[in-house]
Amino acid sequence: MSLAKKNSAEEGSVLVRDILRNLQKDFRVEFRSRFAVNIAVSFAGIVTISISLTAGGAPFPVKVQSILLWVVLFFSAMNGLAHIFVREEDQGTSLFLRITRSADSIYISKFIFNQIFMMIIGTVVTPLFVFFVGVDVIHVLHFIMSVIAGGFSIAASTTPLAAMAAKAGGKGSLFTIISFPILLPVLWISISSTAGALNEARPESGTVIFLLAFSGFITAISILLFRFIWLEN
Amino acid sequence: MSGIRYTLRVQDLAKKFNSTLLFKSISFSVETGGSLCVTGPNGSGKSTLLKILAGIMNPTGGAVSLAAAADIPPCDWMNHIGYTGPLVNPYDDLTGLENIQFVLKSGNYASRLDSLLRQFNLTQHRDKLVKHYSSGMKQRLRLILAVLNDPPVLILDEPGTNLDAGGREALSSFLDLARKQKIIVLATNEPGEEKLCGGGIRLG
Amino acid sequence: MKHVINIAMKSVYVLMPVTIVMAFLWAPPAELLGDYSRIIYFHVPLAWVSVLAFVVSGILSVIFLLDKKNRFSGLDGKSFNSAAIGLAFTVCTVMTGSIWAKLSWGSFWNWDPRETSIVFILLIYIAYFCLQAALAGKSSRGKIGSSYLIVAMATLPFFVFLIPRIVWSLHPETIINVNRTIYMDDQMWITLLTALISFSVLYVYLFNLMNRIMVLKHRIGEHPHAAD
């Protein structure tokens, strides 16, 4: 009994160590090329500034502001979120990773990487957008919560789909095509939640809870499914 | 090296891709201290057989088992098997040493790492990015990565690819030393490497 | 046993005409909507069969992934077939639904929460067929497709139950009520029930047919001369 306990504790610490080493590796590789982050941040910057420029200082309605914010976030993040898996296939390193680490540790580390990536995009894009488009945030806490929860859900639900798209050969827009329908409700709820933070009326917290529940649920299922996607047959 | 004896047993193995049969009814068993050489023309399924042995691919029929005192479950195989092949590519954007550290299981192998680097003549290149490696250097790195954690089973797919005379020398002397304490399975068409093995299978 | 199932499936030849006759002639028109209300006997069963087909494809996918020894053959193909039927029925559901919407609310489409949900579901399963097309010829096709179907099935409850509620709380002015408060008498209930049963049998019939076609195609592919 005590031996079994010790074993599972040991396994747990091995898993945590493996995850940390995967993350260290992913960040090293990413920051030597800076491909995903550069593209995403420049895309976000260009789009935000062009929106502001073409609007010419005229304020948008609240709903439009919130739609634009999420469109910018979504498209900036899309390339980078798939990149973490597509890169392994493109550079032919997936077999190396496959024989070195367990599927669980790989999935969890890629998931954490995507969450951090999404947070970086969120923290760069949101202030930029608020500043250039002239968004008047009334419920600041709810606004921040909505952006965080929406970003979390986007990263959580695209990570398993990125793995699938990468295994399917990562052809062009396949990732966007398969993830957009799953993300549509997330975006929809995020947009109404953010719009709620820009309105005078007291915003509802149900939307944030929905987003967190949805992403938790998808994550739980994808951890179970990942080994089937990742391992060859 | 502890005295645990491992057995790799293959029973009636078959592999089909879509509807083409690659091979069928392959059976053998190797114990620690034994070595096996898989030969055959290109496309005869050498690499596939080795991938199945390494637990990377599932066979269409038959079974592979790896046993020490008791059967080792397939999910645990990667801790006991050192596999490398032409498709195992180390990370281009990491240095040789960083790739090695990524694979290294614990700090106890530090001295072993130094001797491996010396043996395969990579010590002075270890801090270069792998994308600046020549193909021979990459192959040496592959071999180091496969044997690094001192796995009791070594499954090497075309280990001599791209190696120069010195590299082949280092490989054969390494295998010569290691084969008494390990199970070694090689896929090769090099007569020099075939001679290193105790037994052989010919596919195709 | 096989014989019984066969007869049960053949019963669709009787059940479908009976349903149509009951829906158009036997059931009385509803008070509010008049004869328009007869579309309910097609719309509701179509929606039910869509969900049924998607759930079946999800469950078959779960079995496919867990079935390491290959005891059941062609489960990935079967779940594909079920998803295809589900998609076709969803399209029919959307069409009957929007006709009904036009008749009772005045416009074909007005983003009522249920309409929104069904569009999401439709898009998710269309994406599944894109994924399958991209994976054509790869050995990982079954596994990846099945994984996607499981994710898709897992999101269904969010669309069917949760979104209509959440959006309700956000948009209390949404025009949804007539169909829920509709008064139905016994004859109408019996007709609806018959329709549900006969559409379910129709699903089983189609599903079985598609699976048999798949097996035959596979056999022809394996032995090209077996067909002569």
Side-chain angles (χ1 to χ4, degrees):
Chain A
M1 184 59 207
S2 68
L3 191 73
K5 228 181 223 166
K6 196 182 150 214
N7 271 346
S8 66
E10 221 168 72
E11 262 169 38
S13 75
V14 167
L15 183 67
V16 171
R17 200 197 61 195
D18 282 357
I19 292 169
L20 290 177
R21 288 168 68 184
N22 286 347
L23 277 172
Q24 185 192 27
K25 182 264 301 174
D26 279 336
F27 276 105
R28 249 187 204 151
V29 172
E30 180 54 44
F31 278 91
R32 283 200 185 141
S33 57
R34 277 186 229 98
F35 176 81
V37 171
N38 270 351
I39 295 232
V41 172
S42 4
F43 180 90
I46 290 167
V47 174
T48 310
I49 290 169
S50 14
I51 289 172
S52 169
L53 176 76
T54 44
F60 290 113
V62 164
K63 190 86 188 182
V64 177
Q65 285 177 350
S66 140
I67 290 173
L68 284 175
L69 171 64
W70 282 101
V71 168
V72 173
L73 277 174
F74 171 76
F75 283 105
S76 326
M78 237 20 208
N79 255 313
L81 289 173
H83 190 63
I84 189 74
F85 282 110
V86 171
R87 186 178 52 213
E88 304 280 359
E89 303 295 329
D90 278 355
Q91 304 193 340
T93 48
S94 67
L95 185 58
F96 176 44
L97 186 59
R98 155 80 178 81
I99 59 175
T100 313
R101 288 283 186 275
S102 70
D104 288 346
S105 78
I106 294 169
Y107 186 76
I108 296 171
S109 61
K110 302 274 186 207
F111 174 81
I112 295 173
F113 183 92
N114 270 353
Q115 289 297 355
I116 295 175
F117 175 80
M118 195 65 213
M119 272 183 224
I120 293 174
I121 300 292
T123 41
V124 173
V125 170
T126 318
L128 203 69
F129 189 87
V130 169
F131 177 75
F132 273 105
V133 181
V135 180
D136 191 10
V137 182
I138 293 171
H139 303 279
V140 179
L141 189 67
H142 185 76
F143 181 76
I144 294 172
M145 285 299 290
S146 308
V147 172
I148 290 176
F152 188 83
S153 306
I154 289 181
S157 35
T158 47
T159 307
L161 302 169
M164 290 180 202
K167 285 287 170 195
K171 282 182 210 125
S173 49
L174 180 69
F175 173 61
T176 318
I177 291 173
I178 63 170
S179 48
F180 187 65
I182 304 245
L183 279 185
L184 203 54
V186 171
L187 286 173
W188 188 42
I189 302 283
S190 303
I191 287 169
S192 22
S193 184
T194 321
L198 307 178
N199 269 327
E200 293 287 346
R202 230 180 80 82
E204 304 235 1
S205 57
T207 48
V208 173
I209 292 169
F210 173 88
L211 290 171
L212 294 179
F214 187 78
S215 41
F217 193 60
I218 294 260
T219 305
I221 288 174
S222 18
I223 289 178
L224 295 177
L225 285 178
F226 182 67
R227 71 194 65 205
F228 298 108
I229 302 167
W230 177 248
L231 304 182
E232 234 177 301
N233 50 323
Chain B
M1 186 75 206
S2 54
I4 305 171
R5 292 186 69 79
Y6 286 79
T7 316
L8 180 68
R9 187 172 287 122
V10 171
Q11 269 172 346
D12 207 21
L13 210 61
K15 181 72 187 177
K16 257 191 206 173
F17 275 117
N18 294 326
S19 51
T20 34
L21 186 72
L22 208 52
F23 49 73
K24 64 170 184 179
S25 49
I26 292 178
S27 302
F28 60 81
S29 104
V30 204
E31 274 189 46
T32 298
S35 50
L36 187 82
C37 186
V38 183
T39 55
N42 299 137
S44 58
K46 296 191 294 291
S47 296
T48 308
L49 176 61
L50 260 62
K51 273 190 181 171
I52 294 174
L53 294 183
I56 300 168
M57 203 182 256
N58 289 327
T60 318
V64 184
S65 67
L66 179 65
D71 266 6
I72 298 166
C75 56
D76 204 24
W77 281 11
M78 68 166 81
N79 296 325
H80 299 270
I81 293 179
Y83 168 87
T84 200
L87 294 176
V88 178
N89 293 318
Y91 286 93
D92 274 349
D93 286 314
L94 298 182
T95 66
L97 192 62
E98 283 166 345
N99 269 300
I100 288 170
Q101 280 162 349
F102 179 58
V103 173
L104 204 57
K105 286 245 159 64
S106 67
N108 304 341
Y109 292 108
S111 62
R112 185 180 154 78
L113 167 62
D114 282 339
S115 79
L116 277 172
L117 281 171
R118 234 175 299 121
Q119 216 172 336
F120 286 99
N121 209 7
L122 269 184
T123 314
Q124 69 272 34
H125 301 298
R126 60 181 210 181
D127 291 322
K128 259 200 225 170
L129 289 185
V130 172
K131 63 176 153 198
H132 302 310
Y133 273 27
S134 72
S135 41
M137 280 151 71
K138 227 182 228 175
Q139 181 63 20
R140 290 163 199 249
L141 179 61
R142 278 193 193 115
L143 292 170
I144 294 179
L145 292 174
V147 303
L148 191 63
N149 291 317
D150 205 10
V153 182
L154 277 183
I155 296 181
L156 307 176
D157 192 357
E158 310 265 5
T161 334
N162 293 326
L163 289 184
D164 54 15
R168 276 167 208 278
E169 191 78 6
L171 172 65
S172 57
S173 64
F174 175 84
L175 289 179
D176 224 17
L177 258 173
R179 70 174 173 184
K180 298 222 165 49
Q181 304 139 2
K182 292 185 196 300
I183 296 175
I184 297 179
V185 182
L186 293 183
T188 181
N189 281 321
E190 289 289 329
E193 283 161 21
E194 282 175 48
K195 259 180 247 151
L196 288 170
C197 300
I201 295 185
R202 200 169 165 76
L203 292 178
Chain C
M1 185 63 196
K2 214 167 179 179
H3 200 63
V4 176
I5 294 173
N6 242 329
I7 290 177
M9 277 188 304
K10 293 263 162 64
S11 70
V12 75
Y13 298 135
V14 182
L15 276 171
M16 277 321 282
V18 166
T19 307
I20 292 169
V21 170
M22 281 171 85
F24 282 108
L25 300 176
W26 188 64
E31 271 171 44
L32 211 67
L33 286 164
D35 279 334
Y36 297 154
S37 68
R38 297 187 191 281
I39 204 165
I40 194 178
Y41 308 118
F42 302 96
H43 177 70
V44 173
L46 282 168
W48 150 249
V49 170
S50 314
V51 173
L52 176 72
F54 289 145
V55 170
V56 167
S57 76
I59 290 171
L60 288 179
S61 299
V62 172
I63 301 173
F64 172 74
L65 290 183
L66 295 180
D67 176 32
K68 289 213 176 77
K69 299 228 166 77
N70 259 324
R71 267 166 298 179
F72 308 100
S73 67
L75 278 181
D76 51 334
K78 282 180 187 166
S79 55
F80 179 89
N81 289 343
S82 191
I85 297 175
L87 189 64
F89 275 68
T90 311
V91 171
C92 296
T93 312
V94 171
M95 287 187 332
T96 50
S98 65
I99 292 170
W100 192 4
K102 174 73 181 168
L103 296 177
S104 61
W105 304 333
S107 78
F108 282 114
W109 204 262
N110 38 35
W111 293 112
D112 151 274
R114 298 238 162 235
E115 289 178 342
T116 314
S117 291
I118 205 159
V119 168
F120 289 168
I121 294 171
L122 203 59
L123 287 175
I124 286 179
Y125 283 91
I126 288 172
Y128 165 71
F129 290 97
C130 294
L131 182 67
Q132 288 285 300
L135 285 165
K138 293 201 178 184
S139 59
S140 54
R141 188 175 191 224
K143 279 189 176 181
I144 293 180
S146 303
S147 310
Y148 186 86
L149 279 180
I150 294 171
V151 173
M153 177 177 71
T155 58
L156 278 184
F158 281 89
F159 296 131
V160 178
F161 302 114
L162 238 102
I163 284 199
R165 263 176 225 164
I166 286 210
V167 180
W168 178 263
S169 74
L170 285 173
H171 303 284
E173 75 277 9
T174 317
I175 355 162
I176 180 166
N177 41 39
V178 193
N179 55 342
R180 251 31 65 102
T181 50
I182 225 170
Y183 169 76
M184 290 180 58
D185 65 16
D186 289 346
Q187 258 172 307
M188 295 166 89
W189 275 115
I190 292 168
T191 314
L192 186 59
L193 220 61
T194 318
L196 281 171
I197 292 169
S198 58
F199 273 85
S200 307
V201 176
L202 178 69
Y203 160 72
V204 176
Y205 180 79
L206 288 176
F207 185 44
N208 181 52
L209 203 64
M210 286 179 79
N211 290 341
R212 276 165 56 198
I213 293 171
M214 184 183 72
V215 170
L216 289 178
K217 266 190 186 160
H218 192 70
R219 218 177 271 164
I220 294 169
E222 246 182 22
H223 314 286
H225 302 296
D228 338 312

